[in-house]
Amino acid sequence: MFQNIVDFLADFGPWGLAVHAFLDAVIFPIPAFFSQVTLSLMNPATALWLATVGYIACLIGTPIGYYIGKVMGKSVLYKFLKKEWIDAATDRFQKNGEAAILIGSFTPIPFKVFTILSGCLNFPLWRLVGYAAVGRGLKFYVVGALFYFYGRAAEHMVKDVSLYIFIGGVPLIVIFLLVRRHRMKKLAAAGKASSTDNQETIGSSS
């Protein structure tokens, strides 16, 4: 049934991809990757435009998925998606929500799992959108660039695109998060020291 919907949406070209990418971030179980590949195969010259359409639609759908999770809870996921996907995403999210969103943007786990979980677990919406913009942009545009530069020959390349992005992207994500954590600790320590100094100044003046 879902594949029939994907085929139906592909008949509408970029508009169909936009709808698919939007639903991909909300609740639809089949990633927009498949519509993007199908349409890029038809006309590789438009691959980057298709990537842009899918990317924007995905970002528009991200807050909708977030509020679905906030209102309906995680149970809505079990009605449409595999339990192992949901459990794996939940485990990653509880350990580090930021890394989960970035890495989850290009893993086989459908992205709506992370948008809905963000709402369930009260992860800040602005962070979700920010990290989704990075991770989803990377996947949409890597696929688009491959078709744009290699034409229909890219069909065999994109099958492993998630793996390649994962291998290349995860180290960068880890470094980014470590640097960010170190910076936040440094700022927190500086703020604590400043507060202590102020208290001492007040105490001495009194």
Side-chain angles (χ1 to χ4, degrees):
M1 181 184 74
F2 289 121
Q3 186 57 51
N4 291 335
I5 296 174
V6 173
D7 294 338
F8 173 76
L9 290 173
D11 291 338
F12 292 90
W15 285 106
L17 174 60
V19 172
H20 192 170
F22 174 84
L23 294 176
D24 181 23
V26 177
I27 198 61
F28 196 63
I30 300 180
F33 167 82
F34 294 101
S35 287
Q36 183 187 6
V37 170
T38 298
L39 293 171
S40 297
L41 270 171
M42 293 179 184
N43 190 355
T46 64
L48 291 178
W49 164 242
L50 290 168
T52 302
V53 169
Y55 176 57
I56 292 173
C58 176
L59 290 186
I60 293 173
T62 295
I64 308 299
Y66 177 89
Y67 284 111
I68 287 176
K70 206 168 185 65
V71 173
M72 301 180 68
K74 192 167 64 173
S75 60
V76 68
L77 290 172
Y78 289 103
K79 296 179 181 179
F80 299 96
L81 303 171
K82 295 179 181 179
K83 183 178 183 297
E84 55 265 33
W85 282 346
I86 301 167
D87 293 343
T90 302
D91 181 62
R92 290 180 187 175
F93 219 105
Q94 289 174 338
K95 290 178 180 177
N96 192 322
E98 296 170 349
I101 294 169
L102 284 169
I103 296 172
S105 295
F106 43 77
T107 61
I109 299 174
F111 187 61
K112 79 282 299 166
V113 175
F114 296 95
T115 62
I116 292 175
L117 278 179
S118 295
C120 293
L121 303 176
N122 294 314
F123 189 81
L125 176 59
W126 68 270
R127 286 190 183 179
L128 168 65
V129 174
Y131 290 126
V134 175
R136 298 303 282 174
L138 186 60
K139 186 167 185 178
F140 273 108
Y141 281 104
V142 166
V143 172
L146 285 173
F147 275 104
Y148 184 80
F149 289 110
Y150 294 99
R152 292 183 175 86
E155 181 181 8
H156 301 292
M157 303 177 189
V158 297
K159 291 179 179 178
D160 297 319
V161 70
S162 292
L163 176 62
Y164 297 146
I165 297 175
F166 187 83
I167 292 173
V170 167
L172 295 176
I173 291 171
V174 171
I175 292 171
F176 166 76
L177 291 174
L178 287 175
V179 170
R180 184 175 179 276
R181 184 175 296 177
H182 175 73
R183 187 166 176 267
M184 289 179 68
K185 285 183 177 178
K186 195 172 181 181
L187 289 172
K192 188 175 180 181
S194 176
S195 176
T196 302
D197 291 342
N198 289 338
Q199 289 177 358
E200 289 178 353
T201 303
I202 293 171
S204 61
S205 63
S206 60

